[in-house]
Amino acid sequence: MALPVRQQITYWGAAAAVLMAVLWLLGDVILPFLVGGAIAYFLDPVADRLQRLGLSRVLSTIVIFIVVTLVFVVAALIVIPLLIQQATGLVQSAPEVFGQLRNFLTERFPTVMDEGSTLRNSLASLGETVQSRGAELLQGVLSSAAGVVNVLVYMVVIPVVAFYLLLDWDRMVARIDDLLPRDHAPVVRHLAGQIDRTLASFVRGQGTVCLILGTFYAVALMIIGLQFGLVVGLVAGLLTFIPYVGALVGGILSIGLALFQFWGDWWWILAVALVFQVGQIVEGNILTPNLVGSSVGLHPVWLIFALAAFGSLFGFVGLLVAVPVAAAIGVLVRYAIERYKHGKLYRGIESASDKAGPEA
């Protein structure tokens, strides 16, 4: 016999409260485990495919981590130093860039940019602020002893956690399934399957789209010769996780830099704009339909709200769990709406009279 609805709500609400308390109190401690779990979840389909090709689970996991380690080593030796160099250069050149913008606006709009105007003073101080704050941020990240220790710990703990979770992923899922309440197991499996499909479509699919577009933007802008092209491409690729935001921010930033670097050479400026136009065409017509799918159930506004809310409450850990929690809440809300539309509260007296009509 199933428990009363009120008692069920009490138990599930207590479980949700415990989860929130754990995220609040142990955020920094569980961060490597969350990252490791996310990596294992992302790579589980690859391991399953290797198993279908005839490899054992252990061998599949080893092959995956050898490939991932090689990619990470190449990135650490080639891409990351260049990225740090360009980011530092971009911060240091901020006063010059804003100074050129001020001169350009002064020539084109002298009445707006007269001596002592608010806009002129703001542009003069904005570049210096970006330079000072950006330099402090970079120096703090790169030179902080605690930060270095944390990075080293994460570099050791995260791969180990991801390796063992990926190795035991199927057994963990089976163990959790065995612990489900028997009365609710079919419904929980159904909802969990929908959440998994949503996450697989969005996280895995959108993550792959971000990686492809970020690489394309960075390589294309560096071939054109745009300064700081690698940084702009990385920013645009990361922000592609939120639909339309990556192309908008990356396009504005890259075209703004191109205007100062290639002023007068309009073909190069057009080439920079064309890179993002091609990226949007490829994303909308090829990448997103095939990798993400047309119906994911995560509206961009809901996603932005989830990222902002969980990031504000739980910091970086909140950003990691925001998308899975948003996907789970979306699935639960759709399920609740479906049950509501089949219930007496929605169907009401009219439904009851329809049923009684033929009998009368």
Side-chain angles (χ1 to χ4, degrees), residues 80-285:
I80 295 179
L82 181 59
L83 180 64
I84 294 175
Q85 179 184 358
Q86 288 198 5
T88 304
L90 180 61
V91 170
Q92 293 178 347
S93 63
E96 180 181 357
V97 170
F98 284 102
Q100 292 179 7
L101 176 61
R102 182 188 58 193
N103 295 335
F104 172 78
L105 293 176
T106 301
E107 294 176 0
R108 297 290 179 178
F109 309 100
T111 57
V112 178
M113 296 295 295
D114 59 344
E115 191 70 28
S117 66
T118 304
L119 181 58
R120 184 184 181 93
N121 295 332
S122 299
L123 289 175
S125 60
L126 185 57
E128 298 176 359
T129 302
V130 171
Q131 183 185 30
S132 61
R133 298 299 182 185
E136 292 176 4
L137 177 62
L138 289 174
Q139 183 178 3
V141 171
L142 296 176
S143 63
S144 173
V148 172
V149 171
N150 288 334
V151 169
L152 293 177
V153 171
Y154 289 162
M155 288 177 62
V156 174
V157 175
I158 290 176
V160 173
V161 172
F163 179 87
Y164 283 107
L165 289 179
L166 181 61
L167 183 63
D168 296 328
W169 190 267
D170 294 337
R171 279 180 286 184
M172 288 189 304
V173 173
R175 184 68 62 84
I176 293 173
D177 181 80
D178 184 61
L179 294 175
L180 294 177
R182 295 298 93 187
D183 289 335
H184 305 289
V187 176
V188 173
R189 292 191 191 106
H190 173 70
L191 294 176
Q194 289 188 342
I195 294 172
D196 178 67
R197 284 190 292 272
T198 301
L199 286 178
S201 299
F202 188 81
V203 177
R204 293 172 182 155
Q206 195 68 35
T208 306
V209 171
C210 292
L211 179 62
I212 294 173
L213 286 180
T215 303
F216 168 72
Y217 290 144
V219 172
L221 293 176
M222 292 178 68
I223 291 175
I224 292 174
L226 180 69
Q227 293 179 349
F228 319 117
L230 181 61
V231 176
V232 174
L234 176 65
V235 171
L238 290 176
L239 293 179
T240 302
F241 198 77
I242 304 174
Y244 309 110
V245 174
L248 180 63
V249 174
I252 293 175
L253 182 59
S254 60
I255 293 174
L257 292 173
L259 287 173
F260 294 109
Q261 182 177 345
F262 302 121
W263 182 258
D265 296 330
W266 301 108
W267 288 110
W268 291 111
I269 299 175
L270 182 62
V272 171
L274 185 62
V275 166
F276 283 88
Q277 185 63 37
V278 171
Q280 281 298 285
I281 294 174
V282 172
E283 178 190 2
N285 295 280

